[in-house]
Amino acid sequence: MATPHLDDAPQHYAIRIRGLTKHFGSQLIFENLNLDVRAGEILAIAGGSGTGKSVLLRTILKLLPFEAGSVEILGSNFASLSKTERVKVERQVGVLFQDGALFSSLTVLQNVQVPMREHLKLPQKTMDALALLKIAMVGLPPNAAYKYPSELSGGMRKRAGLARALALDPRIVFLDEPTSGLDPIGAAAFDRLIRSLQRTLGLTVYMITHDLDSIFAVCDRVAVLADKHIVREGAPMDLVRDPGHPWVREYFCGERGRQIAKAS
Amino acid sequence: MHDNEAVLDRSTRPALRSAEERGTRRLVVSGDWTLATLREAQAAVDGVEAPNGPAHEIDIGDMRRLDTAGALTLVGLRDGKSAAATADFSSARAEHRILLDEIARAAPASFEPPPPRAGAAVETLRRFLSAATAIGRDAVRLTMFLGETTAALGRVVARPKRFRVKAFTHQLQQTGLSAVPIIALVSFLIGGVVMQQAAFQLQKFGAETMSIDMLGILALRELGVILAAVMVAGRSASAFTAQIGTMKMREEIDAMRTLGIDPIETLVLPRVLALMIALPLLVFLADVMALAGGAVMAKLYLSLDTEMYLQRLNSAVQAKHLYVGLIKAPFAALVIGLVGCLEGLSVRGSAESVGTQVTTAVVKAIFLVLVLDAVFAIFLSAAGF
């Protein structure tokens, strides 16, 4: 849910990107890219293949360097932070990678406990209770806790990855194509899960997705990445009414887009 | 609302106190109930006193921040013995209510105990039995794999066009040519060491020149083939397992099968055949280098010049000693190649599994090479070679 009475005060923004420019070798990926993610909203990042959606995610997470511009997470610019301050901000951020990125030598329960072990000093009993709670919250059966990632299906791995991302009760969660590779029922269930977790935990969700169903079902706003920057952003229905960019028109006003927009 | 003792606690410290008005016993919650304050919150819950019996409601209207960890603690409090069975949260803010309901819904299922484990004695016995039977299973698997590979060889011989020449030559280079420097160096050094030790011991009997006979026969029959095979087992069995195992993990092997490509034919056969060609050559190299190492030591310790060393060697060593060593090489290569490929194909799912299988492959390959050598030694001496 978008915070009402938005103004430009920085506390209302979970992420602010200004003038981001990035190259891979001689290839320009982003040029003067600006993006605001409001606190408490679910923002979808859409865009064609190869437009750099994953690169943008990795850049925000500081997994990739960039040449110019600034990226602020929860009001602090990573570049100007000391190591300890940076860890504090990182604890407020949870990431679900495409295939879960679970540690293959650990059980699901141990995977969820990794961030707790790393950042907090809690008794084992408390960590077990918390991790099992997170596993239940993402809709996994209790016996999944003692399984290894290789014993889980793709959808279960995603849920387990989400449980690990939520382990420290972060304020922002990044999701990389959360519904890709799931069947439509599983994808719809995952959408509902994200919406209900966002409501209960007051999360800000930054979600890369191709899935028009998810965009219309759960997202407050969509930002479209094309031509090396964000070409359009706004509520999904606003973009349907006024696409303003050829790719956006094709995406939202094509056959599938129209049907889903009409249905919702 | 609040009784006289009520002091609004607006600090972040989680606190809990009991209050009573008009016969309703309440627990009043204040402060932050989050992961960061979890210890204090748990201490507050453990230390709460209910002098007049369990509370009827839990007032969380004054609570500041709440997250899943805090909510779990509060749900524990509500379901614990300091609150009555009918107790519930009161004055909750909307977002706190949603979270508490969600946690209460998820929590009961979450305390399922881990799957039961067998007792220590039973577990030890089970492990012992599974390790014991594993040897038998491994032998069966390896034999079956040898059969599969032989069948694939038969298919390739019938239709030679299907033979992967490029993969074969690549493997020949990787397993053969690239191993030349290390095998040459190690054999040279070991040859020298054996010569020196033998000369030193036999000097006591005035029979130091006998050390040349000894080294010549030892190097050709055993030393060269064992050194080369162990080095190759370490280098190539591990490489085969890692290469094939990674492909297996990424479902590449399954993809090959669905495309009608036989992985045994394309992956296993070129590797095993390349190794069977490369290892005899490497054994010959190891033989030569061990004898060269001996020649250097003979010069240093016995002051025998190379010509005399070679003469002595010539009279002591017969061609059969060379053949006895060389005949073992292709068999050792077969074992090393099969074990490496089989362990690679046995990789399951995870990256950790690749590591485990590589270790297993190297240990098994070296072990089997030594067993094979022993069997050959018994057989060949019984046959009079």
Side-chain angles (χ1 to χ4, degrees):
Chain A
M1 300 268 98
T3 317
H5 310 300
L6 269 180
D7 53 40
D8 258 6
Q11 66 267 26
H12 291 142
Y13 291 101
I15 304 168
R16 296 196 98 173
I17 303 173
R18 286 287 171 272
L20 181 72
T21 300
K22 168 156 187 60
H23 290 86
F24 272 139
S26 60
Q27 194 191 353
L28 184 62
I29 309 289
F30 303 129
E31 190 172 24
N32 196 23
L33 182 147
N34 297 317
L35 177 66
D36 287 331
V37 183
R38 296 169 191 167
E41 75 171 348
I42 300 185
L43 176 80
I45 299 288
S49 297
T51 49
K53 299 186 295 295
S54 293
V55 176
L56 182 59
L57 174 71
R58 280 162 189 276
T59 310
I60 295 173
L61 294 171
K62 307 289 156 206
L63 296 173
L64 291 174
F66 54 91
E67 287 86 46
S70 70
V71 176
E72 273 181 21
I73 297 184
L74 298 167
S76 45
N77 189 341
F78 262 36
S80 61
L81 290 183
S82 70
K83 179 92 179 127
T84 44
E85 288 170 319
R86 190 181 289 203
V87 170
K88 254 184 208 161
V89 178
E90 278 166 353
R91 276 178 54 175
Q92 307 283 333
V93 171
V95 185
L96 168 61
F97 289 95
Q98 255 191 52
D99 195 34
L102 296 166
F103 302 119
S104 55
S105 55
L106 303 178
T107 62
V108 171
L109 188 75
Q110 288 166 334
N111 261 289
V112 177
Q113 288 175 351
V114 165
M116 302 179 193
R117 243 178 250 287
E118 196 61 35
H119 293 298
L120 301 166
K121 273 190 194 153
L122 293 175
Q124 185 62 42
K125 237 178 98 185
T126 314
M127 286 202 294
D128 284 345
L130 278 175
L132 286 166
L133 175 71
K134 295 282 148 76
I135 289 166
M137 280 176 80
V138 297
L140 284 174
N143 66 358
Y146 307 99
K147 288 190 175 157
Y148 287 90
S150 55
E151 299 169 319
L152 300 178
S153 70
M156 287 170 95
R157 274 206 292 276
K158 285 200 170 169
R159 285 170 186 265
L162 186 60
R164 188 179 67 184
L166 295 174
L168 296 179
D169 276 294
R171 288 165 63 190
I172 310 178
V173 176
F174 292 89
L175 309 173
D176 193 353
E177 306 212 8
T179 56
S180 75
L182 300 185
D183 65 88
I185 298 168
F190 208 89
D191 284 343
R192 278 198 304 278
L193 170 67
I194 289 165
R195 175 50 99 190
S196 87
L197 287 175
Q198 189 269 336
R199 279 210 187 112
T200 43
L201 306 176
L203 295 171
T204 304
V205 180
Y206 175 107
M207 165 159 113
I208 295 177
T209 187
H210 284 298
D211 188 342
L212 280 165
D213 288 304
S214 323
I215 290 178
F216 284 106
V218 298
C219 295
D220 299 306
R221 291 194 313 132
V222 190
V224 178
L225 191 57
D227 306 337
K228 301 178 177 57
H229 59 276
I230 302 289
V231 290
R232 289 284 283 138
E233 52 181 306
M237 287 314 280
D238 292 346
L239 263 61
V240 173
R241 268 177 234 118
D242 171 25
H245 185 273
W247 192 87
V248 183
R249 180 170 299 118
E250 186 123 347
Y251 186 63
F252 283 105
C253 306
E255 190 60 34
R256 297 186 49 196
R258 269 208 307 276
Q259 275 173 15
I260 293 164
K262 208 184 292 169
S264 57
Chain B
M1 275 290 284
H2 300 284
D3 62 347
N4 292 337
E5 291 162 24
V7 179
L8 287 184
D9 185 358
R10 281 290 170 192
S11 78
T12 59
R13 200 181 153 73
L16 197 59
R17 93 197 136 69
S18 30
E20 186 167 354
E21 72 181 32
R22 279 182 244 113
T24 308
R25 288 185 295 278
R26 299 185 302 142
L27 287 169
V28 181
V29 176
S30 57
D32 274 2
W33 287 64
T34 61
L35 203 51
T37 62
L38 194 60
R39 275 162 182 275
E40 289 91 338
Q42 193 59 53
V45 168
D46 292 341
V48 71
E49 283 171 13
N52 309 322
H56 296 121
E57 59 177 59
I58 301 167
D59 185 339
I60 57 172
D62 280 352
M63 188 171 57
R64 283 156 46 109
R65 291 176 52 214
L66 177 69
D67 69 6
T68 49
L72 187 64
T73 317
L74 283 177
V75 169
L77 171 69
R78 186 190 64 182
D79 300 341
K81 58 181 186 299
S82 49
T86 55
D88 203 357
F89 301 107
S90 63
S91 340
R93 276 182 265 163
E95 67 267 27
H96 290 169
R97 169 59 67 185
I98 299 173
L99 183 58
L100 285 165
D101 286 349
E102 172 67 20
I103 300 302
R105 188 189 61 74
S110 68
F111 289 103
E112 199 135 311
R117 291 208 183 101
V122 178
E123 181 67 12
T124 313
L125 186 66
R126 196 190 60 76
R127 272 198 207 164
F128 177 76
L129 286 177
S130 98
T133 51
I135 299 170
R137 268 196 318 250
D138 278 354
V140 172
R141 265 185 350 138
L142 197 62
T143 314
M144 281 169 64
F145 193 59
L146 174 65
E148 276 184 69
T149 311
T150 314
L153 180 67
R155 287 196 297 276
V156 169
V157 168
R159 295 172 60 190
K161 270 195 173 173
R162 289 173 71 163
F163 186 62
R164 313 278 162 160
V165 178
K166 212 172 155 189
F168 172 76
T169 49
H170 176 75
Q171 292 300 334
L172 205 53
Q173 193 202 336
Q174 286 293 310
T175 56
L177 204 54
S178 312
V180 163
I182 186 69
I183 287 179
L185 179 66
V186 169
S187 312
F188 183 84
L189 292 175
I190 298 289
V193 169
V194 170
M195 182 69 198
Q196 185 236 349
Q197 285 297 318
F200 186 70
Q201 297 298 330
L202 291 173
Q203 225 160 18
K204 294 174 193 162
F205 308 100
E208 59 263 37
T209 45
M210 289 294 284
S211 59
I212 299 173
D213 303 39
M214 191 186 137
L215 175 71
I217 293 169
L218 187 64
L220 296 187
R221 285 186 79 111
E222 299 291 339
L223 214 53
V225 66
I226 287 183
L227 281 176
V230 167
M231 294 299 292
V232 165
R235 279 184 90 250
S236 300
S238 57
F240 292 176
T241 308
Q243 290 157 2
I244 295 177
T246 316
M247 291 182 77
K248 171 87 194 227
M249 193 177 71
R250 293 208 214 126
E251 300 182 323
E252 287 174 49
I253 307 274
D254 297 336
M256 288 173 96
R257 287 215 169 92
T258 60
L259 293 170
I261 302 165
D262 179 11
I264 307 274
E265 228 175 273
T266 39
L267 298 176
V268 177
L269 210 53
R271 285 181 166 79
V272 172
L273 288 181
L275 209 55
M276 287 176 78
I277 306 272
L279 191 57
L281 298 174
L282 289 172
V283 168
F284 184 74
L285 173 79
D287 288 350
V288 173
M289 291 309 288
L291 293 179
V296 171
M297 275 300 165
K299 182 143 195 155
L300 290 178
Y301 268 75
L302 305 175
S303 310
L304 278 177
D305 59 28
T306 312
E307 199 174 332
M308 287 174 70
Y309 174 82
L310 287 175
Q311 260 174 14
R312 178 83 204 178
L313 203 59
N314 195 26
S315 63
V317 171
Q318 298 161 11
K320 71 171 185 185
H321 294 132
L322 176 67
Y323 300 148
V324 164
L326 281 178
I327 193 67
K328 291 187 260 188
F331 293 95
L334 181 66
V335 166
I336 294 168
L338 286 179
V339 167
C341 294
L342 180 60
E343 294 303 326
L345 288 170
S346 313
V347 163
R348 297 263 167 271
S350 66
E352 195 196 15
S353 161
V354 177
T356 320
Q357 294 308 98
V358 169
T359 313
T360 314
V362 173
V363 172
K364 271 189 197 165
I366 291 178
F367 171 74
L368 286 176
V369 161
L370 296 177
V371 170
L372 191 81
D373 186 69
V375 171
F376 264 97
I378 296 166
F379 175 77
L380 289 172
S381 46
F385 283 96

